[in-house]
Amino acid sequence: MMKGWDGIQSSVSSSSRSSSTINNRVPSQSVRLGRVQPQAPTFRTIFCNDREANLPVRFKGNSISTTKYNFFTFLPKGLFEQFRRVANLYFLSISILSTTPISPVSPITNVLPLSLVLLVSLIKEAFEDWKRFQNDMSINNKKVDVLQDQRWESMSWKKLQVGDIIKVKQDGFFPADLLFLASTNADGVCYIETANLDGETNLKIRKALEKTWDYLTPEKASEFKGEIQCEQPNNSLYTFTGNLLIQKQTLPLSPNQILLRGCSLRNTEYIVGVVLFTGQETKVMMNSMNVPSKRSTLERKLDKLILALFATLFMMCFIGAIGSAIFVNKKYFYLHLDSSEEGSAQFNPKNRFVVFVLTMFTLITLYSTIIPISLYVSIEMIKFIQSTQFINKDLGMYHNESNTAALARTSNLNEELGQVEYIFSDKTGTLTRNLMEFFKCSIGAEVYGNGVTEIERGLAERNGMKIEENRSPNAVQEKGFNFDDARLMRGAWRNEPNPDACKEFFRCLAICHTVLPEGDEKSPEMIKYQAASPDEAALVIAAKHFGFFFYRRTPTTIYVRESHVEKMGKVQDISYEILNVLEFNSTRKRQSVVCRYPDGRLVLYCKGADTVIYERLSDSNNDIKKITREYLEQFGSSGLRTLCLAYRELHPNVYESWNEKFIQAKSSLQDREKKLDEVAELIENDLILIGSTAIEDKLQEGVPRCIETLQRAGIKIWVLTGDKIETAINIAYACSLINNDMKQFVISSETDAIREVEDRGDQVEIARFIKDEVKRELKKCLEEAQSYFLTVSGPKLALVIDGKCLMYALDPSLRVMLLNLSLNCHAVVCCRVSPLQKAQVTSMVKKGAKKITLSIGDGANDVSMIQAAHVGVGISGMEGMQAVMASDFAIAQFRYLEDLLLVHGRWSYLRICKVVIYFFYKNLTFTLTQFWFTFQTGFSGQRFYDDWFQSLYNVIFTALPVIIVGLFDKVAHSLQQFLISGC
């Protein structure tokens, strides 16, 4: 939300120093305005408030079109789409043949049914496209204020051009991708909601460059003349690289200054911005075109079945044509075969080969009904009704708390749900609720928190024990805070052995984040925190209850109300200047903030995963590092999510030297993210460990029962999570994925041998050693697994592997061994895995096992996994709608997967299979009677049925019974229970 505020003031003051560097690197940058400079292919140059200067570049207009057709392309393009289907192309050929003299049926009886099918399909396409066109028109004709001759003129969105300066009012939507210049709020900030973009409803803050804050009124904005060098249009929603050249200064631009089309303005009277990307080049429009197309297995098999029917048709015609060539003889004088009449002369007994060829075409026309002309239309209709009426309106999959129903985003994969054999599931937010609560922590050598987690309670029950939780009567409980330990509450931490460490711990919680507070500053109970993730909100809420109340932030300052620091009962408001924010991402796995205390002290606070924090700690305090590692393992075994907190005091000279490099990296137009990560490495070292936090995320309701039912149905479930191995194993126990009766194979990089090699620091040796260890473990586990198969009553197997080992196991030389081992396991848990590894594991099973796979997740890190599987399911959860937007089906809770697969999926599969068999049966029955009749008519191609009866047999006479079967046929209850039980 508040990412990218780092070093803005320093950036402005130092921009003149970095300007020359940038200009040397990018020759096309110039402060001369009004003329178009040659552009490098990697970026574009935009002249602000100067349409004439931008005219030669011919930027795209802001009008959007989501339609598939226009007035001129509808008929040719629509017909092309229809005739891409083999069956329609076949019936077009039959219709053409029926117009020739060799056809035994009237042309109209073939042309009419084909025309009817095409007409229905084209009307459906036209109706859907007309709806899209109306929606486009309403959007393109929306009004926005554009700067024209020192005043705001109302103009439709479609007339906007790149470089225009516009004003967007409160609750209005941004008409294009904008560079944020000025706001009515203090310090040039504004608040936006990105629900239309990624589904997240929490507000995010954007900050204009200090140099542009004054351009708010139309008179002042008309004076703004600047040149923007930025990246070319792309579909990355969360990145932006560019520079603003103004008044001979080069100011780096980040995503914090960009307002994307589709977002809306909140809590701000109005903002002024410059149009960067328009129309189809906006990020939201470029993302809308990247939906992967999936075809069901049954649909692919259907194409093969159609080809098999073609082969059957050819054999029937071939037999009939041979019979005709043999049967034709002059002794049948009454047929006038040797007469000069048109038609009969062509079947001249003297040229039997011509008779053979002509009879082939005659019989192809006669037997054309063997291919069901209405098959595709009927199946599409059935699938559409199954999705919209059965899945979307199933009250059994409706979540009352969030008012969320199931949603079938495509109707192509209904029957695929009934064939799923492997499920790949995320953990956080999918199996768990993603409602994070601060539960325990360690500060220095002490551990705090008296609560008992669900995992600990379940573990005790498995061991035959019962845990009673003695909760303090004065314990504070708030959403996000479930901590009970009187030693830290109400200022009692001042009496602990190391109060200074406690103070740094609480300040790190209160300062190192990107949270936005909303509400009355005077009342901590009224403040609500808008956070990018529930974890961050839980940590800030914890800081509030420990006496470090974060209540306000500006782009450059964080305000914290600190209690009991100097003496008990004393409260003081302290402002911390935020100099730099080193953002969290899946590669860094940490977040850092450089802040200046009121007394001038410079401190870097850092929080992140234990693996990355431990690599960057100073060599001192080894005792605390060892003790904290033990606490982390203890927290992990209790099913808690852990983070490490650390800090570093910075000397002003060291900071200034580093900040110059940071500004240069921020100003780079190429590989900016990579350079920023490299610069961050320079200062995120020699850290002092403060302690660790442990956050509980409870299981969703009904998860254990759902997993147990799916396993009884023969479905294997894999959990792919970024959590540490102890946490993942205990969650797997809690949700009944793993039990004590299973034989567990654990392949982990957290062994003494691997740690010893890692301590030497030789990366080549580390890679070679871990690969050899993984190979040895895989071979050993596979041999042991195969030995169990030889026994009559061998135990079920479970595999647990962490991300570092998985990286080597996915190597082509070891992948087959990993696949063989994992396919023989009843359950698989992959820990510490990246989003890319999730997709790689899914693809490995999808391609290697040749089984139907399903991926389910709730966050942006699950998108690649969802798209890699045959079927993708998104959870409408706390992490936005990225997973839902990339999915084929969306549900609110994991437990609804049971109904989706075992009820809707199985019924859809059985119904569609019956529909296909029904179609083939009735068409073969109909055509074979004609075939046997041909034997009685001397293979002459005489028709047995009336032309109209034959042509309308599929389209009208037998259409409704097939659709009824496809919609309402059910398996007998006892049989269904038999199938679900896996017997």
Side-chain angles (χ1 to χ4, degrees), residues 757 760 763-773 808:
V757 174
R760 295 178 200 152
Q763 297 301 320
V764 176
E765 183 187 3
I766 291 171
R768 182 193 57 77
F769 184 82
I770 295 179
K771 185 175 181 180
D772 290 342
E773 284 289 298
Y808 295 98

Side-chain angles (χ1 to χ4, degrees), residues 435-443 448-451 471 476-485 488-489 505-506 509 534-546 635 640-641 643 645 692-697:
L435 293 172
M436 309 299 181
E437 293 182 330
F438 189 93
F439 201 73
K440 290 184 179 183
C441 66
S442 72
I443 304 175
Y448 300 94
N450 302 323
R471 190 169 182 84
V476 178
Q477 186 158 5
E478 180 186 343
K479 184 180 178 182
F481 188 76
N482 189 18
F483 180 85
D484 181 23
D485 197 326
L488 294 185
M489 303 300 293
F505 183 89
F506 301 146
L509 293 181
D535 303 65
E536 272 206 320
L539 295 176
V540 177
I541 291 169
K544 177 179 73 173
H545 288 292
F546 291 141
F635 293 153
L640 299 171
R641 295 163 58 87
L643 282 178
L645 273 57
S692 64
T693 64
I695 292 175
E696 183 181 24
D697 186 12

Side-chain angles (χ1 to χ4, degrees), residues 87-107:
N88 287 343
L89 195 60
Y90 164 76
F91 280 105
L92 177 64
S93 304
I94 295 300
S95 298
I96 294 172
L97 276 177
S98 66
T99 62
T100 63
I102 60 172
S103 172
V105 297
S106 171

